[in-house]
Amino acid sequence: MSKAQIKAETKFLLHPDAVHRKLQGEEVLLQMQTGRYFGLDEIGTKAWDALVIQQLSLGQCARQLAEEFAVDEKTVQNDISHLVSDLLEQGLLEAVKA
């Protein structure tokens, strides 16, 4: 799923071949089939928590982070879309079919 195909109402789940753990306040993700791991910074971890743990849609996540950090919601949604696109491509997330 490309960034252009990710809609505000899209929700996501942890990919079945991935695991995650929070270490020292930041999320670490491992794609078990490839053995590749990824670290998310503080804001990436907040996005991960909103999308995967709280099960918010992309738009809801962007709204929540925009309010928390006093940033433009469209900018946040664009940034999260890039992150999600990368995580989908790496097999760490999967989009939930509506």
Side-chain angles (χ1 to χ4, degrees):
M1 179 177 275
S2 72
K3 180 183 163 294
Q5 295 171 313
I6 301 171
K7 301 199 181 320
E9 61 272 6
T10 306
K11 291 188 176 186
F12 304 91
L13 294 173
L14 178 68
H15 190 283
D17 293 331
V19 294
H20 68 102
R21 176 95 45 216
K22 196 171 287 193
L23 297 172
Q24 298 178 345
E26 295 184 347
E27 204 68 42
V28 177
L29 315 170
L30 171 66
Q31 212 303 328
M32 296 182 297
Q33 294 297 316
T34 65
R36 293 188 67 191
Y37 67 92
F38 302 82
L40 299 177
D41 63 13
E42 177 188 359
I43 296 172
T45 296
K46 287 183 179 284
W48 177 268
D49 286 344
L51 293 168
V52 177
I53 307 301
Q54 297 175 40
Q55 281 292 286
L56 298 181
S57 69
L58 180 72
Q60 291 168 323
C61 174
R63 194 169 356 308
Q64 178 176 301
L65 294 179
E67 289 175 9
E68 182 174 350
F69 292 100
V71 180
D72 175 65
E73 188 175 326
K74 285 187 180 193
T75 301
V76 174
Q77 186 163 330
N78 187 51
D79 291 347
I80 294 171
S81 292
H82 282 291
L83 172 64
V84 165
S85 182
D86 289 344
L87 296 175
L88 288 166
E89 184 178 311
Q90 297 300 325
L92 296 164
L93 279 182
E94 60 183 17
V96 175
K97 304 246 191 274

